[in-house]
């Protein structure tokens, strides 16, 4: 079943509009949002590095060259460490997100 490109584009526009509306509805501290943005950029950076590492490991494995196979040990160790970093970053993000919105719920709302 083929996807309808017009439908997909329409859905993306609706999602962007909803996200914009949601962000306008939330009384948030711009510093908190900047912190979330920075955290997501850190996560994406590590995930991008992991993609490169996985490709290197695959290339080395396919080459069957002993030196490359030995190099994979270090690459896989780095990959493992990066996965732990991503878990930690997402854990921090979750905690910070919960704290920010819990604190926002405690703030009195301005009624215009």
């Amino acid at each position: 079943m083929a996807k309808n490109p017009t439908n997909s584009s329409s859905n993306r526009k609706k999602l962007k509009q909803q996200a914009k509306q949601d962000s306008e509805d939330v009384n948030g501290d711009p510093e908190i949002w900047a912190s979330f943005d920075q955290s997501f950029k850190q996560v994406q950076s590590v995930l991008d590095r992991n993609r490169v590492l996985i490709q290197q490991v695959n290339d080395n494995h396919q080459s069957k060259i002993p030196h490359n196979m030995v190099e994979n040990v270090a690459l896989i160790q780095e990959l493992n460490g990066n996965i732990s970093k991503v878990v930690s970053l997402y854990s921090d993000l979750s905690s910070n997100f919960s704290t920010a919105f819990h604190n926002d719920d405690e703030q009195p709302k301005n009624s215009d």
Side-chain angles (χ1 to χ4, degrees):
M1 184 170 177
K3 290 184 179 180
N4 182 340
T6 306
N7 222 3
S8 179
S9 177
S10 175
N11 287 342
R12 280 194 297 265
K13 286 179 184 177
K14 287 178 184 177
L15 288 173
K16 284 183 181 180
Q17 289 172 346
Q18 184 62 45
K20 183 178 177 186
Q21 181 64 40
D22 289 346
S23 68
E24 290 171 355
D25 289 345
V26 175
N27 294 325
D29 182 347
E31 288 181 28
I32 292 172
W33 290 110
S35 173
F36 290 149
D37 185 55
Q38 181 61 31
S39 294
F40 281 117
K41 286 178 181 176
Q42 285 179 305
V43 167
Q44 189 60 53
S45 175
V46 175
L47 293 175
D48 291 341
R49 174 66 181 152
N50 283 357
R51 183 178 301 113
V52 170
L53 289 171
I54 290 167
Q55 186 59 52
Q56 285 178 314
V57 167
N58 286 336
D59 291 346
N60 287 348
H61 184 74
Q62 289 177 353
S63 76
K64 306 274 192 226
I65 298 171
H67 172 75
N68 290 352
M69 301 294 273
V70 170
E71 185 180 306
N72 275 356
V73 174
L75 295 174
I76 292 169
Q77 287 173 339
E78 182 180 347
L79 187 59
N80 190 40
N82 287 351
I83 291 169
S84 295
K85 277 186 205 174
V86 169
V87 169
S88 177
L89 288 167
Y90 274 130
S91 176
D92 292 347
L93 259 168
S94 176
S95 176
N96 292 343
F97 190 81
S98 294
T99 300
F101 279 88
H102 178 70
N103 289 343
D104 187 55
D105 286 343
E106 293 176 353
Q107 301 295 322
K109 304 285 183 199
N110 293 336
S111 54
D112 295 321

